[in-house]
Amino acid sequence: AGSGPGRRLPMAEFESRWRAEVPLPAAEAGSAATPALTPVALAAVPSWPSPAVAPEVAAVTPAAGSLPRYKVVAGGGCDTRASLPLRLLSRDECLAYAQTMRLTHIGSTTDEAEFPGCVVWQEKHVEFNERGSAAAGCESVERNHGRCVCAEV
């Protein structure tokens, strides 16, 4: 079997080696029992970091009461002639949409061949198109797994 790094140790041997390498508190040094985790030991474990909000993002996020009702549309676009009047989102509203839906905002683009405004890519990334073409409609992003986001008027 050998003693290389790929060799698996029997549990008893692993525990004895571990106990020899890890010093126990003085009160437990003579005990063969497994050391118990204490609240102090648990407090030393860091919590998972939460995503930080960049200062420029926090500064442009509209107040919760001022957010529009969002509508993800298929085909067409944010046309006021539709049965439910819609409008394009502003850059700040698009950013707020990403935050509200807990999606990743990946920034802005200037693609004139695609839908203008707010686009959700692959159901997880949100991007704002500064100079898109309304004539391109949502079909221009749907073929690449994108969906247009509009605001109800």
Side-chain angles (χ1 to χ4, degrees):
S3 62
R7 183 174 86 91
R8 296 193 66 157
L9 297 175
M11 188 57 150
E13 185 179 347
F14 172 78
E15 284 180 359
S16 69
R17 285 187 181 188
W18 180 78
R19 288 188 192 286
E21 294 176 14
V22 177
L24 295 176
E28 297 179 24
S31 169
T34 304
L37 291 178
T38 64
V40 174
L42 292 176
V45 176
S47 62
W48 287 102
S50 59
V53 177
E56 64 274 10
V57 170
V60 298
T61 304
S66 67
L67 294 177
R69 290 178 49 105
Y70 302 111
K71 179 81 173 164
V72 177
V73 298
C78 301
D79 193 341
T80 57
R81 294 169 290 167
S83 59
L84 178 63
L86 302 172
R87 64 171 175 78
L88 293 172
L89 292 179
S90 68
R91 182 187 332 186
D92 292 350
E93 289 171 331
C94 186
L95 178 61
Y97 172 79
Q99 292 174 336
T100 301
M101 303 306 289
R102 297 186 177 190
L103 302 172
T104 303
H105 188 268
I106 58 173
S108 298
T109 186
T110 55
D111 191 338
E112 294 181 9
E114 289 184 350
F115 176 81
C118 198
V119 177
V120 177
W121 296 105
Q122 299 173 340
E123 303 298 327
K124 57 186 168 184
H125 304 309
V126 177
E127 179 181 51
F128 185 76
N129 190 0
E130 301 275 350
R131 294 193 187 105
S133 167
C138 288
E139 294 85 0
S140 63
V141 296
E142 287 174 349
R143 64 179 160 258
N144 293 315
H145 307 286
R147 299 180 63 183
C148 303
V149 183
C150 305
E152 292 182 6
V153 176

